Amino acid sequence: MNLDSKTIQAAHRLAAMNRTLLRESKECGCFHCESIFSPSSIEEWIEETQGSYSEAPDPFTALCPDCGIDSVLGDACPYPVTDPAFLHAMRLHWFGEKEAA
């Protein structure tokens, strides 16, 4: 899947301070490990306290329950976050290829 830069940037912004959005979601996808999971499986959150983040109404960012990276998007956002091709395209842009196990 080819994503334009504007879409990649906009989707990436939704991976920060996303607790409210994830509470409205039924499924989530991580664009680091490319796993798909229920928002109820998220157990760890980072409280963003730097700069304008500290002014956010809900400054908590989810950590993926599978890989621990803050690359979680919920299906309440306008992107196909449970589509493996979308998650892979986001991973390639932000992290590159997965390392061989």
Side-chain angles (χ1 to χ4, degrees):
M1 169 182 283
N2 287 327
L3 298 176
D4 62 47
S5 179
K6 185 177 178 180
T7 300
I8 287 170
Q9 296 293 328
H12 187 261
R13 282 191 291 277
L14 296 176
M17 298 181 300
N18 56 359
R19 184 168 65 178
T20 300
L21 183 65
L22 296 178
R23 285 181 173 164
E24 297 169 1
S25 297
K26 293 180 180 162
E27 287 189 292
C28 298
C30 173
F31 59 88
H32 180 262
C33 68
E34 301 178 34
S35 65
I36 297 169
F37 48 89
S38 167
S40 65
S41 65
I42 299 168
E43 296 180 357
E44 293 187 65
W45 302 85
I46 299 170
E47 184 176 9
E48 306 288 359
T49 59
Q50 300 294 319
S52 63
Y53 289 148
S54 63
E55 306 292 320
D58 192 354
F60 290 89
T61 296
L63 297 181
C64 174
D66 294 326
C67 71
I69 304 296
D70 59 344
S71 302
V72 177
L73 297 169
D75 66 4
C77 80
Y79 303 102
V81 304
T82 59
D83 178 351
F86 174 80
L87 293 176
H88 187 69
M90 290 286 290
R91 177 182 175 85
L92 288 176
H93 180 83
W94 295 105
F95 299 104
E97 287 287 345
K98 287 184 180 181
E99 293 182 18

